Amino acid sequence: MLSEKWRLNGNLYYTSVFFILMAVFISLAFSIRFVNSTSVVLLAFAILLRPDRTSLIKQAFKDHFFISSLCFVLINLAGLLYTNNVSQNLKEFSVKAGMISVSLFFCADICRGKINLRQIMTIFTACLAAATLYCIFNALYIYLVQRDSSSFFYHNLVKPFNEHAVYYSFYLLFCFIYWNEEGITTVDKAKKKIAIISILIYFFIVIILLSSKIVLGILLVYLLYFIPSRLVKKRNKKIFFLMVGVLSIILFVLAATNNPVKKRFSDMAAGTSTLFQQEKFTPGVYFNGLQFRLLTWRFTSEILNEQKSWLLGVSPGDGKEALQKKYVETNMYQGDGINSQGYLQYDCHNVYLETILESGLIGLVSLLSLIITFLIKIMKSKSRTALIFFISMLIFGFTESYLSRQYGIVLFTFLPLLALSNTNSSAIK
C-alpha cells in the first residue's frame, strides 16, 4: 500500500513523467540527441523513484516483450566475450540498452490512466510542423541565393538539424497514422476535422519532399487500403473524397513532371541487376539502393562462412569492420580519405542481416522472438495505430539497420508502445 506522502506527491510525479515523455518527442522533432538519450534513460529511472518499484519491476518481468528485449540486448553484450573491438561492442550495447529502458517503462505500466496521449501527440505534431517549416524556409533561402532546387529534397531538406531524411519521414508517418486512426474518426467539430486534414496533407507533402522510397511506398499502401476502409465505414465520405482528391493531384503532378522524387524511384531500375555478383569492381562503379543491399547479403554470407560464425556471429564490435574489409577487397570506392569514406561508412542496411552478422542465428532468433511477442501484445490490445506503425518498422528493417541508432530504437520500441498505451485507459482518448 502506498504511503500517504506518495499519494500527496503523485500528481507531481506524473507531471514529471509527462515532461520526460515530451522531452523525448521534442528532441526527436529538433534532433537534440543528448536530450533524447537522456530522456530515454530517465524513463527507467522514474520507476526507481516509486515506493512500489519492486512490484512494478516484477510486473515488467512477467511481460514477454520485456523479457525478449532484455535477452536481445544481453546477447549483444555477450559479444564482448569474443570481439576484437571492445569499445565498438560497448558502443553498440549502449545504444541498444535504450530498448530495455523503454520497454521497462511501458511494461511496468506505471502511468496507466495517467498519460494524455492526445495532448502529447498534439505537441509532437506542432513541433514537427514548426521544424519542417523552418527547413522549408531555409531551403527557399538557399534556392533564392544559389538557385539549387536540391535544397528542398531528401537529406538536404533536414540538413539544418543534421537529421536523416528517412528517419524523419517515419516521425511524420507516425503522426499521419495516429491522426487518421485516432483523430478524424473521433472528433465531431468541423473545425477540428479541418485542422487534422490540413496537417495530414501538409505532412504528406513533406514526406514526398523527404523522398524516402520505403516511407512513400508504405504510405501509398496505407492510403489505398486503410483510409478508404476506415472512413467509408464511418460515413465520412466528404472527408474521404477531399483527402483522396488532394492527394491524387499531388501524386499526379509527381508522376507527370521531372522531379528529384521521381528520379529516386527511377534510380532503382538503373544499372545491371547482376552487378552485385561480380568478384571485383572499380572505384567508379555506382550501386543503386537495390544493388547495394543485394551486395551486403552476399558479403554477409561470405563473412559468416569464412569465419564459421553462423551461430554466434562476428560480434557487434567487429561487424562493420568485417564489411569494410570486403569493400576494400573488392575495390569499391573508399572516399578521398578526408571528406568522404565512400562505401566504408555503410553497414548492412538491413536490421535482420545486421543482427545475424553481429550475433549469428542466436541473435536473429532473439530478434524474431522480440517481434513475435510484440505482435501478440498488439493483437491483444487491438490497437490499429500500434499495429500499422510496427508493421511499417518491420518493413523498414529490410532497408535499414536502425537498431544501431538511438532514434531507431525510439522508432522501433517507444512509438509503438506509446500507441499501445492508448488502449489502457479512457484518460488517453
Side-chain angles (χ1 to χ4, degrees):
M1 192 172 178
L2 297 180
S3 66
E4 187 64 27
K5 184 178 180 180
W6 167 250
R7 291 181 186 277
L8 293 173
N9 293 330
N11 289 335
L12 177 61
Y13 174 82
Y14 289 120
T15 300
S16 301
V17 170
F18 175 82
F19 279 111
I20 293 173
L21 292 172
M22 285 313 311
V24 175
F25 278 115
I26 293 171
S27 60
L28 278 182
F30 296 101
S31 192
I32 311 172
R33 287 172 173 78
F34 174 76
V35 173
N36 188 266
S37 57
T38 302
S39 301
V40 167
V41 172
L42 287 176
L43 289 177
F45 185 71
I47 296 176
L48 301 179
L49 296 178
R50 290 179 58 112
D52 56 342
R53 52 187 170 271
T54 302
S55 62
L56 289 172
I57 293 173
K58 287 181 179 179
Q59 182 174 319
F61 272 91
K62 292 178 182 178
D63 192 298
H64 293 161
F65 174 70
F66 175 72
I67 296 298
S68 299
S69 300
L70 183 62
C71 290
F72 178 74
V73 175
L74 290 178
I75 286 172
N76 275 261
L77 181 62
L80 288 171
L81 299 174
Y82 54 97
T83 187
N84 295 313
N85 192 334
V86 173
S87 62
Q88 181 61 28
N89 207 118
L90 287 172
K91 181 181 178 181
E92 290 290 328
F93 166 73
S94 66
V95 173
K96 293 180 175 66
M99 188 182 298
I100 297 178
S101 181
V102 172
S103 58
L104 176 63
F105 175 80
F106 284 103
C107 293
D109 206 10
I110 66 173
C111 286
R112 177 183 288 271
K114 301 294 183 179
I115 300 176
N116 189 326
L117 184 57
R118 178 63 59 88
Q119 185 178 4
I120 289 176
M121 287 303 300
T122 299
I123 297 174
F124 183 42
T125 301
C127 288
L128 286 176
T132 51
L133 278 173
Y134 175 82
C135 290
I136 290 172
F137 279 114
N138 178 75
L140 178 61
Y141 173 78
I142 293 173
Y143 175 75
L144 293 174
V145 174
Q146 303 177 8
R147 295 296 173 183
D148 182 9
S149 61
S150 67
S151 60
F152 287 100
F153 299 95
Y154 204 38
H155 295 312
N156 287 339
L157 181 62
V158 287
K159 195 172 183 179
F161 296 111
N162 193 28
E163 186 55 271
H164 193 290
V166 182
Y167 284 77
Y168 214 88
S169 295
F170 270 98
Y171 308 157
L172 297 169
L173 178 66
F174 180 73
C175 286
F176 191 97
I177 294 171
Y178 172 81
W179 288 114
N180 179 68
E181 296 294 325
E182 313 288 345
I184 291 179
T185 57
T186 59
V187 298
D188 297 323
K189 294 182 179 180
K191 289 184 179 180
K192 289 185 177 181
K193 286 191 176 184
I194 292 173
I196 292 173
I197 292 171
S198 299
I199 199 67
L200 288 175
I201 292 174
Y202 172 69
F203 278 2
F204 182 78
I205 293 172
V206 177
I207 288 174
I208 289 175
L209 294 177
L210 290 171
S211 312
S212 167
K213 297 188 289 289
I214 187 70
V215 175
L216 285 171
I218 291 170
L219 189 53
L220 182 60
V221 172
Y222 180 75
L223 291 172
L224 291 175
Y225 177 71
F226 287 104
I227 290 181
S229 65
R230 186 71 159 196
L231 295 181
V232 171
K233 288 180 180 179
K234 294 288 182 179
R235 298 181 181 179
N236 291 317
K237 293 185 179 181
K238 290 183 180 179
I239 297 174
F240 168 67
F241 286 119
L242 174 62
M243 288 185 62
V244 170
V246 173
L247 298 181
S248 297
I249 291 172
I250 295 172
L251 291 173
F252 175 77
V253 171
L254 283 174
T257 60
N258 188 20
N259 56 79
V261 179
K262 185 177 180 180
K263 288 179 181 178
R264 279 184 52 75
F265 280 89
S266 300
D267 179 69
M268 295 175 65
T272 59
S273 59
T274 58
L275 177 63
F276 73 98
Q277 296 177 343
Q278 292 181 201
E279 292 300 318
K280 291 283 185 179
F281 308 100
T282 60
V285 170
Y286 169 73
F287 296 86
N288 64 31
L290 178 60
Q291 291 167 339
F292 179 73
R293 284 169 174 81
L294 289 173
L295 185 66
T296 58
W297 276 84
R298 171 193 147 193
F299 283 169
T300 298
S301 178
E302 290 178 357
I303 292 169
L304 294 174
N305 282 329
E306 291 166 3
Q307 299 191 26
K308 296 180 174 58
S309 301
W310 280 98
L311 184 61
L312 298 176
V314 298
S315 85
D318 297 335
K320 188 171 183 178
E321 185 178 342
L323 270 179
Q324 289 176 333
K325 185 178 179 181
K326 283 291 180 182
Y327 298 149
V328 173
E329 289 176 352
T330 53
N331 199 32
M332 294 172 66
Y333 179 61
Q334 300 168 42
D336 57 15
I338 301 174
N339 300 316
S340 170
Q341 290 184 298
Y343 288 102
L344 295 180
Q345 64 184 311
Y346 294 118
D347 54 25
C348 289
H349 273 277
N350 183 310
V351 72
Y352 312 105
L353 199 61
E354 184 95 353
T355 298
I356 198 170
L357 173 64
E358 294 179 348
S359 303
L361 292 172
I362 290 178
L364 182 61
V365 170
S366 176
L367 177 60
L368 294 177
S369 174
L370 187 157
I371 290 170
I372 292 170
T373 54
F374 201 5
L375 285 173
I376 293 173
K377 192 179 184 72
I378 293 174
M379 292 296 186
K380 289 181 178 179
S381 73
K382 299 181 181 179
S383 170
R384 278 171 57 98
T385 302
L387 178 61
I388 295 167
F389 189 74
F390 189 66
I391 289 176
S392 299
M393 291 308 302
L394 297 184
I395 296 170
F396 183 34
F398 287 100
T399 65
E400 185 69 28
S401 304
Y402 51 73
L403 292 183
S404 294
R405 290 171 60 102
Q406 167 66 24
Y407 290 157
I409 296 295
V410 173
L411 283 170
F412 184 70
T413 56
F414 180 83
L415 293 183
L417 282 169
L418 185 74
L420 202 59
S421 72
N422 191 33
T423 62
N424 285 344
S425 171
S426 59
I428 302 171
K429 293 181 181 178

